[in-house]
Structures are given as C-alpha cells and as structure tokens.
Amino acid sequence: MNGVKACALSGRGVLRVGGPEARSFLQGLITNDAEAASGDKAVYAALLTPQGKFLFDFFLFADPTDKQALLLDCDGARIADLVKRLTMYKLRAKVRIEDLSATHGVAAYWNEDGTAVAAEGPRLADPRLAAMGARAILPITALAALGGDMAGWQRHRIGLGVGDAAEDFEPDRTFPLEVNLDLLNGIDFHKGCFVGQEVTSRTKRRGSVRKRLVPCDVEGDLPAPGTPVKAIAREVGTVFSGDAETARVLALLRLDLIKDATLEAGPSGLAPDIPAWLAPEIQPEDGDDGG
C-alpha cells in the first residue's frame, strides 16, 4: 500500500438510505449537500436539533448499486437513535432506511506524515481534511484483513486536531461550530434549508463562536476526559479525547479566556497547539470577547 496505514474502524456502523426520494429527503435535513455525494466524492455532514445543537454526524457515500441511494458511515453505538430520528422525519417520503452494520463496516487509511491518500476503488478522500487520509465502506470480510490499529488512527486524528463525535461531541449540548464542523467541510451555508439552520447560520454570520475544540500539548500526566480546564482558577473549558504517547488532548475552550493564559487540567499544564486550518478562528480581534 506504499506506506499507507489502514484500520478497520470497529466503532462505526453503516446505514443505507434508499428509495426514489432518498437524496431529497436528506437534503432538507442535514447540514451539507446530499446531492454532492458521488462515486468519487464522500460528503461529511451532521443532523442537528431545531435549536441548532449537534445530534449526529456521518459521512455520505453514493451507493454504487443505486444512484439515488446513500450509504451513511456513522457512529455504531448510536445507530438505533439515528434510525429513530430519521424515521421521525420520514413521514410519507418514499425512503427506506436499513442498518447494514451486520454485513458492512468502515475502514480508514492515512499517512503518518499527513500527506493525502490516493482514492482507489471504494476508498474516497476524507472530506474533512486531506491530511486525514481516506475512508471506505467495505464488506465485513474485507475489513478483517485490515487489522485494527485504533491507537494509531486516534493518534493521527488527535495530532491533526480533528474531533470524533463519539469522544469529543456532546449530543444535544454541543453546537456544530464549537467542534469545527464549519472548518471541516461539514456545513454548506448555501445549500438551502436544514434542521437548525437559522441558529447555525446566524452564529457563523456574526462570528459569535465563543468556544472551539482545540488540540493541546500536555505537560504532566494525561488528564482524563471530562477534566475541567482552568486559567487562574477560572474554568475555561473541558478535556475530551487524548493520546498518552504523544501527550496530546482535544479540549473545548473559551476563546476569549485562553489568550496569553496559563491553562491547567488537574495537576497538568495544557498548551494549545493550533493547526493551520484552525488558526484563523482561534485568535479573536483585540477587544472582541468572542461573543
């Protein structure tokens, strides 16, 4: 594989949304353009609450057997909840929702140096960042041959500062811009209506994102997920996922309170390490309190 690393993502599930109205059904619900998913392009999107809070995220793949159908690479632990939510919106739409997780799963491919991974066969570029690599939906039998270097995959993801909904997002609490969905190609602000659009678009337009998920280097022991982050005894955020080998975590931080501050998570120190794709959003203008 020319140095490309691969891993079967055991925590992911696969849904098929089929029927003659499958794409138009999703188009009116999700944050990105369902029509853009094709044989050579995957789409990253989310489903929000009407109040604009995060519920689910997923990757859309075109079903090669049916040009109207889409395959959703989604959080396997919450797949029943996603089916329930989609069914609630389905009403009379000509749509069939099927859980394919018993026969299909998800694979990730990446280069440790952050270079892009070529799309080959069912493997498509990860739409969030080129450096993330590629993903594919494969039969379970094909996944077994890939192995499961989940630690390596998590290290790669956390190194790039990209959140994982299963570990870093809080359903019905987190706002999508807080976890950088707007910067990771997860929201199309020009596609037309989606659930939660009004709040999301207004927040983006006003530049009023008070918090962002930020990668941080750790000085000391790796803090556990949920550890409060403090600056001079004032709570400014929360630690989420982390990697002990690289001493790095993702933390949701108040942007207006971290500039030039000394950050602590328990007895350990945190030093934000801002990647280039996130940097323009992290430094507020002088005098701007972030909200």
Side-chain angles (χ1 to χ4, degrees), residues 18 51-52 61 69 74 76 87-88 101-102 144 162 165 184 206 222 233 238 241 256 290:
Q51 295 77 32
F61 288 75
C74 55
T87 301
M88 180 185 78
S101 303
V162 176
L184 294 169
R206 293 179 177 177
L222 197 78
T238 305
S241 61
D256 56 323

Side-chain angles (χ1 to χ4, degrees), residues 1 10 42 57 115 147 153 175 182 189 213 225 227 230 234 247 266 284:
M1 259 193 212
S10 58
D57 71 345
T115 54
W153 169 246
F175 287 98
D182 55 326
F189 290 97
L213 192 68
T227 301
K230 295 184 178 180
R234 181 174 182 179

Side-chain angles (χ1 to χ4, degrees), residues 23-183:
R23 289 185 180 240
S24 59
F25 165 68
L26 288 173
Q27 186 75 341
L29 297 177
I30 67 175
T31 59
N32 216 334
D33 184 3
E35 298 290 353
S38 66
D40 58 6
K41 180 180 179 180
V43 172
Y44 180 52
L47 180 62
L48 310 178
T49 69
Q51 295 77 32
K53 295 180 181 179
F54 170 84
L55 279 179
F56 307 94
D57 71 345
F58 32 76
F59 299 83
L60 305 178
F61 288 75
D63 185 337
T65 69
D66 181 346
K67 65 180 182 179
Q68 288 300 321
L70 291 166
L71 302 177
L72 275 61
D73 155 6
C74 55
D75 182 355
R78 301 188 62 227
I79 201 164
D81 293 333
L82 177 54
V83 170
K84 183 177 179 181
R85 178 67 59 154
L86 291 174
T87 301
M88 180 185 78
Y89 283 118
K90 186 165 76 89
L91 301 175
R92 295 192 179 93
K94 295 177 182 178
V95 171
R96 295 184 302 277
I97 302 168
E98 306 168 76
D99 184 354
L100 303 185
S101 303
T103 58
H104 290 73
V106 178
Y109 307 82
W110 70 99
N111 285 315
E112 290 183 319
D113 63 2
T115 54
V117 172
E120 298 176 354
R123 187 169 84 189
L124 299 181
D126 189 314
R128 295 172 295 181
L129 289 176
M132 284 292 289
R135 300 175 78 92
I137 293 177
L138 300 172
I140 294 293
T141 51
L143 286 171
L146 294 179
D149 183 14
M150 285 299 298
W153 169 246
Q154 293 284 62
R155 187 169 304 120
H156 177 68
R157 174 184 70 79
I158 292 169
L160 291 172
V162 176
D164 183 320
E167 300 189 46
D168 303 301
F169 306 177
E170 297 180 285
D172 212 19
R173 291 189 62 186
T174 299
F175 287 98
L177 274 60
E178 293 178 342
V179 288
N180 306 319
L181 264 65
D182 55 326
L183 307 178

